[in-house]
Amino acid sequence: MPQSVAVQSPEWWRDRLYDALCKRSEETKVFDDYYECEHPLPHLHEKARAPFRRLLKMSRANYMELVVDALVGRLEVAGFQSDADGDSDQAAWALWQDNNLDGGSSLAFLEAAIRGNAYMLVSPPSGGQGFRITPEHPTQVITEGKPGEPGEMAAALKLWLDDWTGKLCCTVYLPERIYKFEAPEPKYGERSQKPQWARREVAGEEWGGKNVLGEVPFGELANRPRMLKPGASELRSVTGIQDRINKTIADRMMTQEFAAFPQKWVTGMEIPVDENGQDIEPFDVAVNKILVAEENGAKFGQFAAADLTGYLKAKEADVHDIAAITSTPPHYLLGSMVNLSAEALKAAEAGLIHKIYQRRRFLEEGLERTMRLAGFASSQARIVWKSPEWRTEGELVDALVKMGTLGVPREVLWERWGATPQEIERWRQLNEDSLDRAMAGDLAAEYGPKPTEAAAGPVGE
């Protein structure tokens, strides 16, 4: 730092977190590029790069997107479940819907799977509106925990470029105060230099205003963190295999371009030349033409086409490596499903299902903190996820019927079926209404007026 700054002062936290955010963003950019199919081109000799650049760009096969989407596609929050009496779970779900977090949470899960971390910002009520919860990108937000206090945050930084003013803005969040800074946007070639920060004054607000939440207002969604390391990308271990696949495809395409078709040869004849002494192509080869030579000793033949089997097997072996390392079902990556039974599919997806359950444990911590900051105690509004497992309806119904014979409560069976807490509540209410109508009908039949019996004897007497 250019001058001495008091430890844990707003300026100290600003510079500390800004440096950490820039470093992490630079390190994780490579994973974002791989997900977006911006892979580095396969290596070739300098003289060969320009002629083959068209083929190199066609050699990218993006398996990284499949690896991430296979995980994120099965991470879906279904609702909240309360342990306490009252309607806190319905209130939590209403807040979730008001903030459009069905889609917002999926965006955060996606960024966490790609870059290792994502965040949820909780803003206190203002202007007659309730709590606002917004997903935040990991290149714009970073947090730091309190030493020795798991789950507690000491500070956070949110960084962004204001398109209207062209200034670089940041906000430092501490448990008690919030501090805002701004700096001129770094010019091209000067981005390695530290910004020249100044206080950012906002009309009607006190600089260093009170943090009404009393806590750092972020929930951190970490993907597979470790004890001394933050969240990590799902692609960390397989980008090298993706490069191998791209190189294999590039080699195969070049072989297809120049050696995959039979090349013809001829001997025993003189090749004509033009007036400049350049050889003239003696034959115009086509499917509807034959080759004829006037020389008696002329012979024709062709070379065997290049065998591409080795390239195809090498690519398939690399794809199997990706499937094994990332627990992605092979039929996702290979795209082949031939006479697979339900048991075979379930076994193929077992690794992915186990990985999803593991990832959800750490995502829940951030989501529960987010809901707690918004006024819902985690013990009163637990996260309910949609089941990531695939089952046929017949298999599922059969299992639920057997569970019902063992006395498992009806609501538990509905939950196992995959119903959300909101659907379960609606079904329970419908059952109660049906029971009330049935009981009302029985009582009317028992104690209501009886129909008048017809008099004995023939009609008309």
Side-chain angles (χ1 to χ4, degrees):
M1 298 180 186
Q3 57 184 4
S4 59
V5 177
V7 176
Q8 297 192 30
S9 66
E11 293 77 12
W12 184 84
W13 278 117
R14 177 199 65 200
D15 295 339
R16 176 184 177 87
L17 295 177
Y18 176 79
D19 291 343
L21 179 61
C22 292
K23 179 181 179 182
R24 188 185 68 184
S25 299
E26 185 65 26
E27 291 174 348
T28 59
K29 183 180 183 301
V30 61
F31 303 122
D32 190 81
D33 290 342
Y34 271 88
Y35 179 81
E36 294 293 337
C37 200
E38 294 295 333
H39 309 163
L41 294 177
H43 176 74
L44 286 178
H45 191 275
E46 288 286 346
K47 294 182 179 180
R49 288 182 185 176
F52 298 132
R53 186 164 294 276
R54 174 181 62 86
L55 296 179
L56 292 177
K57 290 182 178 180
M58 295 169 59
S59 67
R60 294 168 174 164
N62 194 16
Y63 289 96
M64 303 295 95
E65 184 177 8
L66 276 172
V67 168
V68 172
D69 289 351
L71 168 66
V72 177
R74 302 199 189 193
L75 293 173
E76 186 174 354
V77 175
F80 301 88
Q81 195 172 62
S82 297
D83 292 334
D85 295 334
D87 59 351
S88 60
D89 52 346
Q90 289 88 348
W93 185 245
L95 177 66
W96 185 271
Q97 294 298 320
D98 289 343
N99 287 278
N100 303 315
L101 290 180
D102 285 338
S105 62
S106 294
L107 292 175
F109 298 156
L110 177 62
E111 296 302 332
I114 296 173
R115 290 186 176 255
N117 297 85
Y119 300 88
M120 291 286 193
L121 171 61
V122 180
S123 302
S126 64
Q129 295 183 340
F131 284 93
R132 304 307 301 169
I133 303 175
T134 55
E136 299 292 337
H137 199 272
T139 60
Q140 295 183 328
V141 172
I142 192 169
T143 62
E144 183 166 332
K146 291 183 178 180
E149 299 184 31
E152 296 299 322
M153 294 184 181
L157 175 78
K158 178 173 171 58
L159 178 75
W160 74 97
L161 181 64
D162 191 333
D163 294 332
W164 290 6
T165 64
K167 292 184 178 181
L168 189 65
C169 301
C170 76
T171 301
V172 176
Y173 294 89
L174 301 180
E176 301 297 331
R177 297 284 174 180
I178 299 176
Y179 302 90
K180 301 179 179 181
F181 300 90
E182 65 182 10
E185 180 185 2
K187 297 180 180 178
Y188 182 77
E190 298 179 355
R191 297 186 181 276
S192 60
Q193 300 179 5
K194 291 187 177 181
Q196 301 299 313
W197 296 109
R199 292 186 177 185
R200 177 163 57 95
E201 303 288 350
V202 180
E205 292 185 10
E206 175 189 3
W207 190 83
K210 183 180 180 181
N211 182 355
V212 297
L213 293 179
E215 294 186 63
V216 176
F218 287 96
E220 181 179 11
L221 307 181
N223 186 67
R224 64 172 189 177
R226 295 176 58 188
M227 292 184 67
L228 297 178
K229 292 184 179 181
S233 171
E234 289 293 323
L235 308 179
R236 182 181 61 181
S237 303
V238 291
T239 53
I241 302 177
Q242 177 69 70
D243 291 340
R244 293 205 312 256
I245 292 175
N246 293 345
K247 180 65 168 65
T248 301
I249 295 177
D251 292 344
R252 188 195 76 196
M253 294 185 67
M254 292 177 189
T255 303
Q256 290 177 198
E257 186 84 357
F258 299 102
F261 301 99
Q263 300 295 315
K264 294 177 174 58
W265 55 264
V266 60
T267 62
M269 66 172 292
E270 184 178 351
I271 304 298
V273 296
D274 60 15
E275 56 187 14
N276 297 321
Q278 300 294 326
D279 292 341
I280 298 175
E281 180 66 38
F283 302 105
D284 182 13
V285 180
V287 295
N288 59 345
K289 296 181 180 181
I290 61 174
L291 305 181
V292 177
E294 297 180 356
E295 289 83 348
N296 293 330
K299 294 182 180 180
F300 295 93
Q302 70 178 22
F303 297 105
D307 186 6
L308 303 178
T309 305
Y311 297 108
L312 299 176
K313 288 185 176 180
K315 173 178 173 290
E316 185 175 341
D318 287 334
V319 172
H320 277 292
D321 286 345
I322 292 178
I325 293 173
T326 63
S327 297
T328 304
H331 55 273
Y332 276 38
L333 300 171
L334 296 173
S336 58
M337 295 178 62
V338 180
N339 297 327
L340 293 180
S341 64
E343 291 76 13
L345 282 174
K346 188 171 184 179
E349 295 189 353
L352 175 62
I353 300 303
H354 177 70
K355 181 172 75 169
I356 290 172
Y357 282 119
Q358 280 191 320
R359 301 296 186 264
R360 287 193 334 193
R361 293 190 188 102
F362 299 103
L363 296 175
E364 281 180 2
E365 297 295 330
L367 292 176
E368 289 178 355
R369 174 182 169 85
T370 299
M371 299 307 294
R372 179 170 60 81
L373 291 171
F376 297 94
S378 59
S379 61
Q380 294 180 342
R382 295 197 312 273
I383 308 298
V384 177
W385 299 86
K386 283 193 175 180
S387 175
E389 300 184 51
W390 178 87
R391 294 179 181 177
T392 64
E393 287 193 3
E395 178 186 8
L396 186 55
V397 169
D398 182 62
L400 295 179
V401 169
K402 292 177 180 178
M403 292 176 64
T405 61
L406 298 176
V408 176
R410 181 182 54 189
E411 286 77 6
V412 176
L413 299 179
W414 290 345
E415 185 177 334
R416 290 294 183 92
W417 169 258
T420 65
Q422 294 71 39
E423 290 175 327
I424 292 175
E425 180 60 30
R426 185 165 61 89
W427 294 353
R428 183 189 295 112
Q429 187 62 46
L430 289 173
N431 275 357
E432 291 177 357
D433 292 344
S434 298
L435 180 61
D436 290 342
R437 290 195 298 270
M439 292 185 65
D442 290 342
L443 291 175
E446 180 69 23
Y447 300 103
K450 300 293 190 296
T452 304
E453 296 183 357
V459 178
E461 291 185 354

